[in-house]
Amino acid sequence: MASNSFADLNERSDLRFRQTEAIKRMVNFGTPVRATTAEEPAWKVLVYDKYGQDIISPVLSVPELRERGVTLHLQLHSKRDQVADVPAVYFVLPTAENIVRICQDIRSELYDSYFLNFITAVPRQRLEELATAAIDADAVGCIKKIVDQYQSFLSLEDNMFIVRQHDQDPLSFYGINRSDAKDTDMELMRDAIVESLFALFVTLGTVPVIRCPRGNAAEMVAEALDKKLRENLRDTRNSLFSGETAAGQFSFQRPLLILLDRSIDLATPLHHSWTYQALIHDLMDLSLNRVTVRGSDAAAAATTAGAASGKSYDLSSTDQFWQQHRGSAFPTVADSVQAALQEYQEAGERVKDLKVAAGEDDGTALMQNTQKLSSALGSVPGLLEKKKAIDMHTNLASALLEQIKERKLDMFFDAEEKILSKSSLERPIIEIIRDADGLFGVISLGLVLACVTHSLVPCCGFFLSTKKTLLNYNVMVEEHRVMILMVAMSDSLHSFFLCTVLCTVQVKCCL
């Protein structure tokens, strides 16, 4: 009998759902999760490393893990006590350090049995180390499964994912283009990107058509990915694209993968955005769908928490307000928060009125009002969840508004929008600069202008009185203690890049 999960899997193609189903199957000891089963899940311990935790946290919450029998979820390298008669599901990278720790767990007999799931393909040498440890501990029968999961990507939304380099610097435009980058560094970053893209298409169960421009990093990634896909498809017996979840690698409905270099559009990531999600990303600490409000922002947002030290919020896929308004302009979000709050208050008033009516009426009217009251009380849990979401977005909107006023971001957004659309400004840029309090906003405005005009002269003109060609030139602004390091600069858009901006205030510039 086919699993309902696989039936849904064939109907739904969004990446987040596919990865969630794969992780559920892993937690269920590698067997498909059947929606119709009434059996209690087997109790288990989930052990992961930092990368495994980052993969799981955006797609499965702690209550969802508990529903699937996970009683404990622990870090691999933390101090863990022995839990006898309980199986353990591991979800880790196949690094030498992780393999050594797993071998220690086997020798120490921490758990009853071991289901080893590796995020990427485990090398033969690591398998031999595991086999040696199991033989030495006389625990060969305790290792039930060893599976390559191919899950080295992080799904943050239904069709949006990010790639991270394992225990290295984040994959970024700066990381690829920094002046001291070595060939080995470039190869490591390329391999990390290729590994993640390969895992993504294994999870989707399909082979893409790859397109990219020539002569840049995108071509390097495309060629390496193409080679990896072809090598896997040649081995028809062990191909990862021929299982139950495969969509047919030779189908005419194959997806199109377009790989582009970030330098094709540098203005967009430098541009001050005005949407709710982009403002949260730029102005707050957002990581893996969890946003943290700190410092003065936390004081402004602590209307219900009452703590100014910092508060974290989860922006989950079940948050209807977030799903509906994350791409809306900030003024629209502020109005929507107020409307949602008013709607909640009206619903609360209706429940109160029904309580009063049920106490005053008698006979048929009492019975009708009692039925209405019972129905209203049944909706109370939903109203409480809605109130919790409203409070969260009220706090976030208040903190964002404080930052917008402090940094005058509305002024920069308006100016940059006109620059990008090549419209005339209401006043000269020099006047905008004079009215600005924060230097970082001025830098972003100058870089947007530089990208649009295909010249660095406007950007450098903010700091230098004469036009110069800068090569490893340090511009020190003592008033703000800001250092701008620019390398390989020229009048061509495609032959320069900004290395880094170091400020005493905490800022984020995602390149």
Side-chain angles (χ1 to χ4, degrees):
M1 180 177 178
S3 166
N4 289 344
S5 295
F6 281 125
D8 294 338
L9 204 59
N10 292 330
E11 294 176 2
R12 294 189 58 176
S13 60
D14 58 271
L15 183 60
R16 181 188 176 94
F17 176 81
R18 293 274 184 147
Q19 186 174 44
T20 302
E21 290 299 309
I23 293 175
K24 287 179 181 178
R25 189 164 58 250
M26 176 196 76
V27 172
N28 200 39
F29 306 126
T31 58
V33 179
R34 300 181 184 277
T36 57
T37 182
E39 299 178 1
E40 287 291 329
W43 302 115
K44 59 189 76 77
V45 176
L46 177 61
V47 181
Y48 44 54
D49 59 5
K50 182 62 173 65
Y51 194 60
Q53 182 183 20
D54 290 346
I55 293 172
I56 292 175
S57 60
V59 296
L60 285 178
S61 63
V62 173
E64 288 174 324
L65 287 174
R66 287 175 182 166
E67 289 177 2
R68 283 153 185 83
V70 177
T71 55
L72 288 174
H73 44 92
L74 305 168
Q75 282 283 346
L76 174 65
H77 295 285
S78 63
K79 184 179 179 180
R80 289 173 281 122
D81 298 326
Q82 184 181 34
V83 184
D85 301 326
V86 174
V89 177
Y90 284 72
F91 186 54
V92 298
L93 286 167
T95 62
E97 184 182 13
N98 288 348
I99 295 296
V100 169
R101 187 55 192 268
I102 293 173
C103 292
Q104 291 177 1
D105 292 351
I106 295 173
R107 294 189 182 100
S108 301
E109 300 181 355
L110 286 188
Y111 309 109
D112 178 67
S113 56
Y114 302 84
F115 294 81
L116 305 181
N117 298 274
F118 293 101
I119 298 172
T120 59
V122 56
R124 182 178 179 82
Q125 179 184 353
R126 307 287 181 241
L127 285 174
E128 292 175 354
E129 293 172 3
L130 282 171
T132 302
I135 293 172
D136 293 342
D138 193 21
V140 175
C142 295
I143 300 179
K144 301 300 183 181
K145 282 187 178 181
I146 299 179
V147 182
D148 297 332
Q149 289 291 340
Y150 293 98
Q151 295 294 322
S152 55
F153 60 94
L154 285 71
S155 299
L156 301 184
E157 297 177 9
D158 286 347
N159 290 299
M160 196 268 286
F161 70 98
I162 60 173
V163 175
R164 285 188 174 179
Q165 196 171 4
H166 315 150
D167 301 326
Q168 300 290 333
D169 295 333
L171 293 168
S172 64
F173 182 80
Y174 162 68
I176 294 176
N177 291 284
R178 71 180 193 272
S179 59
D180 61 341
K182 301 177 182 178
D183 290 343
T184 53
D185 297 332
M186 295 291 292
E187 291 173 0
L188 286 174
M189 286 185 281
R190 179 203 62 191
D191 293 342
I193 295 172
V194 170
E195 184 69 42
S196 295
L197 291 175
F198 180 78
L200 182 148
F201 287 105
V202 169
T203 302
L204 291 177
T206 186
V207 179
V209 176
I210 305 174
R211 294 292 181 266
C212 70
R214 294 186 178 277
N216 53 28
E219 184 181 17
M220 293 171 51
V221 172
E223 290 177 347
L225 178 60
D226 178 73
K227 180 180 178 181
K228 192 174 183 69
L229 288 168
R230 290 179 184 276
E231 288 177 351
N232 185 266
L233 290 173
R234 286 194 190 100
D235 187 1
T236 55
R237 294 177 59 187
N238 300 310
S239 175
L240 297 168
F241 299 93
S242 58
E244 282 186 275
T245 59
Q249 60 266 39
F250 304 112
S251 170
F252 289 104
Q253 302 300 320
R254 291 165 57 192
L256 174 63
L257 173 64
I258 302 176
L259 297 172
L260 299 173
D261 195 278
R262 177 71 267 180
S263 61
I264 197 173
D265 177 24
L266 278 176
T268 299
L270 294 168
H271 176 36
H272 285 93
S273 185
W274 200 236
T275 62
Y276 189 32
Q277 186 178 32
L279 284 171
I280 287 178
H281 184 273
D282 290 345
L283 303 181
M284 296 181 180
D285 183 7
L286 177 64
S287 177
L288 303 180
N289 293 340
R290 167 164 287 204
V291 57
T292 303
V293 185
R294 303 183 186 278
S296 59
D297 297 341
T303 56
T304 57
S309 58
K311 186 170 178 61
S312 296
Y313 303 97
D314 289 322
L315 302 172
S316 66
S317 58
T318 58
D319 186 343
Q320 295 183 357
F321 187 92
W322 173 251
Q323 295 297 320
Q324 183 178 357
H325 295 289
R326 63 188 178 187
S328 301
F330 182 72
T332 303
V333 173
D335 293 339
S336 299
V337 169
Q338 185 62 34
L341 180 60
Q342 183 176 354
E343 182 181 347
Y344 167 78
Q345 291 173 344
E346 291 175 354
E349 289 296 328
R350 287 195 295 270
V351 173
K352 291 180 181 179
D353 293 341
L354 285 172
K355 288 182 179 179
V356 174
E360 294 177 352
D361 296 339
D362 51 36
T364 306
L366 176 61
M367 183 177 295
Q368 292 176 352
N369 286 328
T370 301
Q371 292 174 350
K372 292 180 181 179
L373 181 59
S374 299
S375 177
L377 290 176
S379 65
V380 168
L383 287 175
L384 292 177
E385 285 295 321
K386 186 175 183 179
K387 179 61 166 59
K388 183 179 178 181
I390 292 172
D391 288 342
M392 178 185 73
H393 290 289
T394 300
N395 294 342
L396 291 177
S398 300
L400 288 176
L401 183 60
E402 189 73 18
Q403 285 289 316
I404 290 171
K405 290 180 178 178
E406 181 181 344
R407 299 190 187 186
K408 299 183 179 179
L409 297 182
D410 52 337
M411 177 182 67
F412 286 114
F413 171 74
D414 182 64
E416 291 167 7
E417 279 289 293
K418 291 181 179 178
I419 291 173
L420 290 171
S421 61
K422 298 184 180 181
S423 303
S424 59
L425 297 173
E426 295 179 358
R427 52 180 180 155
I429 291 182
I430 193 65
E431 293 185 11
I432 299 175
I433 297 172
R434 287 170 181 167
D435 291 342
D437 293 330
L439 187 60
F440 184 72
V442 176
I443 294 171
S444 295
L445 177 62
L447 290 173
V448 169
L449 182 60
C451 291
V452 173
T453 59
H454 291 232
S455 173
L456 284 171
V457 177
C459 176
C460 300
F462 290 154
F463 310 103
L464 304 175
S465 58
T466 59
K467 177 182 177 181
K468 293 180 179 179
T469 299
L470 304 180
L471 183 60
N472 294 331
Y473 190 93
N474 294 344
V475 182
M476 297 298 300
V477 184
E478 293 183 357
E479 179 182 358
H480 295 274
R481 291 179 297 177
V482 177
M483 178 174 67
I484 304 172
L485 299 177
M486 295 184 178
V487 298
M489 290 186 171
S490 70
D491 288 342
S492 172
L493 173 64
H494 296 289
S495 62
F496 84 89
F497 50 87
L498 176 67
C499 273
T500 184
V501 178
L502 301 176
C503 302
T504 55
V505 294
Q506 183 179 1
V507 294
K508 290 200 302 183
C509 183
C510 299
L511 299 179

